[in-house]
Amino acid sequence: MARPKSDIKRKAILDAAVELFAERGIAHAPTSAISSRAGVAEGTLFTYFKTKDELLNELYREMRKEIDQEMADFPFSADVRARLRFVWDRFLDLAERHPKQLKVQQQLRSSGRLLKDAEAPNMVITELLRASREGAKVGGLHEASPEYLVLMFRAQAEATAEFIAAHEEMRSESRELGFKLVWRALIGQ
C-alpha cells in the first residue's frame, strides 16, 4: 500500500518551484533542482506531479486560488469604479507581498504550457470581465473585447507593481496614477 501524500511535502515542492522559477526562469529550473530546494528526492516530486508541466499547471492553479482568497470580501454590489479599484488595490498589495509569485505568474502565462482548465476564468477574471463590460458601455468602448480590457488592466497593474518595486518612494502616487490610466482608458474620462 502506498503511503499517503503529505501536504507539507507538496507545499515545499510548490514553494521551491516559485523560488527557482523566479531566480532562473521556468526553462532553466529542472525538476532535480526543484526537488533539491524542497528537500525531497526527485522521485518524490514525481509522486506529487507526474511531469514538470503538471507541476506548472498546479502551481498556477494554486496561485490563482490565493488571489481568489485575497478577494473574498469583493464588493459585488458596488459601482463599476469601486469594483475595479478593489481588484487594482488587492492585486498591487499581493504583488508587493509576493513579488516572486507575480514574476512566476507572468512566466507561466507566457510559457505556452498551461492547460485550458488552469487558465479558466476564476472569480477575479470573471468580475473584471463583468466590470469591463459595464465600464466599456459607460465609456463608449462597447466595441472593445472585455477579454482585451482585462489584459490591458493586468498589463497596467503589472507595470505599476514593477515600477513600485523599483521606486518605493513613489508607491502612493504610482498606485493612483496607474489606476487613473486604467480608468481613463476604460471610460475615456
Side-chain angles (χ1 to χ4, degrees), residues 2 33 42 44 48 62 74 104 112-114 123 139 155 172:
E42 190 169 9
T44 301
Y48 290 85
E62 288 295 317
F74 185 82
V104 172
R113 296 171 75 173
L114 293 179
M123 187 283 287
S172 295

Side-chain angles (χ1 to χ4, degrees), residues 62-109:
E62 288 295 317
M63 287 192 284
R64 289 181 63 158
K65 282 182 200 173
E66 186 176 332
I67 292 169
D68 276 354
Q69 290 170 351
E70 189 72 22
M71 305 286 176
D73 57 342
F74 185 82
F76 290 97
S77 60
D79 65 44
V80 65
R81 189 176 200 288
R83 292 193 325 265
L84 284 173
R85 184 60 196 241
F86 180 88
V87 173
W88 177 264
D89 287 335
R90 291 295 169 94
F91 180 90
L92 290 176
D93 291 345
L94 272 170
E96 286 179 39
R97 285 197 316 270
H98 305 289
K100 290 179 182 177
Q101 284 188 3
L102 176 62
K103 186 175 184 178
V104 172
Q105 284 176 22
Q106 292 168 323
Q107 291 177 35
L108 289 169
R109 281 194 310 272

Side-chain angles (χ1 to χ4, degrees), residues 6-38:
S6 162
D7 289 338
I8 294 170
K9 285 183 184 176
R10 182 180 181 281
K11 182 172 177 2
I13 293 166
L14 292 172
D15 290 347
V18 168
E19 292 292 321
L20 284 169
F21 294 158
E23 289 171 18
R24 301 180 182 183
I26 291 170
H28 301 289
T31 55
S32 59
I34 295 168
S35 58
S36 178
R37 177 78 59 100

